């Protein structure tokens, strides 16, 4: 079955890839944007934060709309809005002389609204497309791998484009969004949703309350872990981007390649985890626990040693990347396979919202603690330890049976 849907999956995988590029390409060039626009490090971090913050509010709405009107339609609308927001930011940086920063932020807000209807809706759509849990796990592994591959590619591509013109990473966002729109239109054959005309907002709220009441004891845990993993990932990426430029005076392509090292670990581990877990929910739990343990250990060593060795620092970040890569597709599979198809869009959207909270807060907290970096790593280690503990305690796959029809 997965072979028959390979082009559908390829088109869907383009969405997290392109949405990730649209956001993560900017991380390595934030110090450059800061200099060009004469803004503070906190203001530069807001370019990432506002995108994620508005997505947090819009993702649950997009999930509800996808349950009612169909996943493919909402994805196409979301991608179109994201392209418009990227166009506004890119043109502001290119053509305007005053209030450039403010217009870029406005464009990023619009882009974040669009992103809310794109990648988060891919997860339930993959769940809808396949019948067996193993196929769903493999499909989600490919989607998460595409997401992390975008993160691997983004620092290199962002740095390379900025070498040509500093705002070029902003300008290309609508172009790459258009590629994904075309792929989804022609390649994705979404299954029919028989319930899409019968879902009303009152029923939506009642159903949501019922699901959280019944399954909240493990859903909340996955929400927290997913958000925490993204908080740590984007926090250490912002830190690494800043320290490479300010402490080691590494810029451009070399900086992008070094940032890609821990991200490549996330990508490889996500792909492997998606293949290995299959439909074994015990493996999903233990990959999550082991991955979080690796993250906690690496962050703790970073905090204790306050290392001055770039090789040692990158190595520890690489280990953290492996840990995050093991956890994310396992969490995706647990939450997608544990929820009925009719409610999948809503619940996975709530999950995506918590992930975006991490994306929004990571760079912001890292920018505030740049002068007290050991405390940043202690915070990361403490959060990873706490998530490891609650995953061990509260994720009990043996008692949670998927009800997907």
């Amino acid at each position: 079955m997965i072979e028959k849907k390979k082009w559908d999956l390829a088109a869907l995988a383009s969405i997290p890839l392109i949405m990730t590029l649209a956001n993560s390409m900017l991380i390595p060039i934030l110090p450059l944007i800061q200099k060009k626009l004469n803004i503070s490090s906190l203001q530069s971090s807001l370019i990432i934060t506002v995108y994620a913050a508005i997505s947090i509010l819009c993702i649950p709405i997009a999930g509800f709309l996808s349950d009612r009107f169909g996943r493919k339609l909402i994805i196409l609308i979301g991608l179109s809005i994201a392209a418009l927001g990227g166009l506004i930011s890119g043109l502001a940086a290119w053509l305007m002389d005053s209030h450039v920063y403010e217009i870029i932020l406005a464009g990023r807000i619009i882009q974040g609204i669009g992103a809310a209807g794109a990648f988060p809706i891919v997860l339930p759509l993959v769940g809808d497309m396949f019948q067996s849990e193993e196929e769903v796990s493999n499909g989600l592994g490919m989607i998460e791998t595409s997401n992390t591959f975008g993160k691997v590619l983004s620092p290199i591509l962002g740095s390379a484009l900025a070498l040509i013109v500093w705002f070029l990473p902003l300008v290309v966002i609508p172009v790459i969004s258009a590629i994904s729109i075309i792929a989804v239109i022609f390649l994705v054959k979404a299954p029919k949703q028989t319930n899409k005309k019968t879902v009303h907002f009152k029923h939506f709220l009642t159903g949501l309350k019922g699901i959280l009441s019944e399954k909240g004891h493990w859903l909340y845990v996955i929400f927290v872990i997913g958000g925490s993993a993204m908080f740590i990932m984007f926090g250490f990426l912002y830190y690494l981007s800043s320290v490479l430029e300010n402490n080691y005076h590494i810029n451009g392509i070399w900086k992008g390649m070094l940032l890609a090292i821990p991200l490549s670990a996330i990508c490889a581990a996500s792909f492997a985890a998606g293949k290995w877990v299959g439909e074994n929910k015990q493996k999903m739990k233990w990959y999550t626990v082991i991955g979080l343990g690796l993250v906690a250990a690496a962050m703790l060593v970073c905090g204790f040693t306050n290392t001055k060795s770039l090789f040692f620092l990158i190595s520890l970040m690489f280990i953290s990347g492996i840990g995050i890569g093991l956890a994310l597709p396992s969490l995706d599979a647990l939450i997608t396979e544990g929820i009925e198809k009719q409610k999948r869009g809503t619940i996975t959207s709530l999950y995506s919202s918590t992930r975006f909270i991490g994306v929004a807060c990571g760079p912001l907290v890292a920018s505030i603690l740049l002068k007290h970096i050991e405390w940043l790593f202690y915070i990361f280690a403490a959060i990873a330890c706490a998530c490891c503990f609650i995953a061990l305690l509260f994720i009990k796959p043996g008692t949670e049976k998927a009800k997907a029809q």
Side-chain angles (χ1 to χ4, degrees):
M1 175 66 77
I2 206 160
E3 279 296 316
K4 294 179 181 178
K5 301 271 186 184
K6 63 181 180 181
W7 289 111
D8 302 66
L9 272 177
L12 291 177
S14 75
I15 297 170
L17 173 64
I18 289 172
M19 289 295 98
T20 298
L21 286 175
N23 195 36
S24 299
M25 269 197 307
L26 304 182
I27 290 178
I29 66 165
L30 286 180
L32 177 61
I33 293 175
Q34 183 180 331
K35 292 173 186 174
K36 292 291 184 180
L37 299 181
N38 194 25
I39 57 177
S40 68
S41 60
L42 181 60
Q43 286 176 304
S44 71
S45 72
L46 286 175
I47 293 174
I48 302 295
T49 298
V50 295
Y51 169 90
I54 193 67
S55 295
I56 293 164
L57 300 176
C58 296
I59 285 171
I61 299 171
F64 162 67
L65 293 174
S66 79
D67 281 339
R68 180 165 185 179
F69 297 108
R71 318 266 192 236
K72 182 175 176 177
L73 175 63
I74 300 305
I75 286 172
L76 289 171
I77 293 171
L79 287 170
S80 301
I81 295 172
L84 175 63
L87 187 64
I88 291 170
S89 293
L91 290 179
W94 185 6
L95 301 175
M96 294 185 68
D97 295 322
S98 60
H99 304 292
V100 177
Y101 172 69
E102 290 80 4
I103 302 300
I104 287 175
L105 282 187
R108 292 287 289 167
I109 290 170
I110 295 171
Q111 193 182 342
I113 294 170
F119 175 47
I121 310 303
V122 171
L123 300 181
L125 182 50
V126 171
D128 294 346
M129 285 166 55
F130 300 105
Q131 296 300 319
S132 78
E133 293 179 356
E134 185 171 1
E135 287 176 333
V136 172
S137 294
N138 287 339
L140 291 172
M142 291 176 65
I143 297 300
E144 199 63 68
T145 300
S146 176
N147 184 23
T148 51
F149 178 68
K151 290 181 174 64
V152 174
L153 184 61
S154 57
I156 300 171
L157 185 59
S159 300
L161 291 172
L163 285 176
I164 303 170
V165 184
W166 70 268
F167 54 78
L168 196 54
L170 290 168
V171 175
V172 301
I173 288 170
V175 178
I176 59 178
S177 297
I179 295 170
S180 194
I181 290 170
I182 293 168
V184 171
I185 288 173
F186 291 105
L187 298 178
V188 174
K189 301 171 186 66
K192 292 181 180 179
Q193 289 178 255
T194 55
N195 68 309
K196 66 181 180 181
K197 293 183 179 178
T198 60
V199 180
H200 300 286
F201 194 69
K202 183 178 178 181
H203 298 152
F204 158 74
L205 292 177
T206 303
L208 178 59
K209 184 179 177 182
I211 290 174
L212 294 177
S213 174
E214 179 189 350
K215 302 174 183 286
H217 59 286
W218 63 275
L219 282 176
Y220 293 136
V221 170
I222 293 178
F223 291 167
V224 168
I225 295 172
S228 298
M230 301 308 285
F231 171 76
I232 294 170
M233 182 197 303
F234 275 80
F236 81 57
L237 284 175
Y238 183 89
Y239 159 74
L240 191 55
S241 176
S242 298
V243 81
L244 286 174
E245 189 152 329
N246 298 331
N247 294 9
Y248 297 98
H249 309 293
I250 299 173
N251 300 291
I253 288 289
W254 289 109
K255 176 183 173 181
M257 291 179 71
L258 288 173
L259 284 171
I261 292 173
L263 290 167
S264 65
I266 300 174
C267 183
S270 292
F271 180 77
K275 291 289 184 184
W276 292 340
V277 294
E279 56 186 63
N280 189 324
K281 292 185 175 59
Q282 286 293 340
K283 281 186 180 180
M284 296 173 196
K285 170 180 177 172
W286 285 108
Y287 282 9
T288 302
V289 171
I290 292 167
L292 293 167
L294 287 174
V295 173
M299 293 294 107
L300 202 58
V301 172
C302 281
F304 279 145
T305 58
N306 195 13
T307 179
K308 303 295 182 185
S309 165
L310 181 58
F311 175 78
F312 190 46
L313 177 63
I314 295 289
S315 298
L316 290 171
M317 296 294 183
F318 187 85
I319 293 170
S320 295
I322 293 173
I324 292 172
L326 288 175
L328 287 179
S330 302
L331 295 171
D332 293 347
L334 278 168
I335 201 166
T336 303
E337 295 173 21
I339 300 297
E340 299 91 332
K341 286 188 177 183
Q342 289 79 6
K343 305 296 182 183
R344 212 170 257 163
T346 301
I347 297 300
T348 56
S349 292
L350 289 176
Y351 169 59
S352 295
S353 287
T354 61
R355 285 178 56 152
F356 269 84
I357 291 172
V359 174
C361 294
L364 197 61
V365 172
S367 70
I368 293 169
L369 292 177
L370 277 179
K371 294 182 180 178
H372 306 281
I373 203 61
E374 67 278 4
W375 285 106
L376 178 66
F377 287 120
Y378 292 150
I379 290 170
F380 288 161
I383 290 172
C385 274
C387 288
C388 186
F389 179 73
I390 62 174
L392 197 59
L393 225 58
F394 294 105
I395 297 178
K396 299 177 180 178
T399 62
E400 300 298 340
K401 301 295 183 185
K403 295 181 182 178
Q405 299 299 317

